[in-house]
Amino acid sequence: MDDQRLGQRDDVSALWPDASGCLWIGLEGEGLYRMPAGSYTPEKFSICPETDDATITAIYIDSRGTLWVGTYLRGIFRRSADGRVTHLMQGMSVSGIDEDNRGNLLLACQKHGVMRIPDGGTTVEKVDNSDSWTLQVSAGPSRQALFTTSEGL
């Protein structure tokens, strides 16, 4: 990120505040940044070389402390608390991530509908038979999933 202030940028594509007060920032074509609590200076955060120039479309930290980063056309990256990185769903776009009451990750996938990663692991399952343009996912207060798609809610 150059010297331009975050508030003056028009290419912020994802945000996630974590429990420590840090703000995670995804940019179009520039990867992932982390802004420590109390700071207004974002720092580049490299998960792996494949994300350094990616368009980050979704950021989520699950109940296990695992960082999940969804990208445009590069799939999703899983960084465990010990720093190990797993790349899933290569070639797909993930536009939304949330966790249900069973600890499963729910993914909104553009042109591929809804996917699930059981127990925050590395196996990906298709939840529906649609190939709709799924935009966002929210488990809501009851942790029951709602999805916004090109076909409605």
Side-chain angles (χ1 to χ4, degrees), residues 48-61:
C48 62
E50 292 91 342
T51 63
D52 288 347
D53 65 349
T55 293
I56 307 300
T57 52
I59 305 166
Y60 187 79
I61 298 176

Side-chain angles (χ1 to χ4, degrees), residues 30-51:
E30 291 187 53
L32 184 65
Y33 288 79
R34 181 178 174 271
M35 192 160 49
S39 171
Y40 292 99
T41 306
E43 304 164 350
K44 181 78 170 176
F45 189 90
S46 181
I47 294 177
C48 62
E50 292 91 342
T51 63

Side-chain angles (χ1 to χ4, degrees), residues 103-120:
N104 301 312
L105 247 61
L106 303 170
L107 310 174
C109 300
Q110 298 174 3
K111 297 185 182 178
H112 295 283
V114 179
M115 307 292 248
R116 174 179 41 232
I117 300 177
D119 296 321

Side-chain angles (χ1 to χ4, degrees), residues 57 71-75 89 91-95 108-110 112:
T57 52
T71 64
Y72 178 72
L73 295 177
R74 294 188 190 177
M89 301 168 48
M92 295 177 69
S93 295
V94 177
S95 57
C109 300
Q110 298 174 3
H112 295 283

Side-chain angles (χ1 to χ4, degrees), residues 64-82:
R64 297 165 194 80
T66 301
L67 172 65
W68 296 86
V69 178
T71 64
Y72 178 72
L73 295 177
R74 294 188 190 177
I76 190 166
F77 294 82
R78 175 187 186 272
R79 183 178 186 271
S80 59
D82 64 7

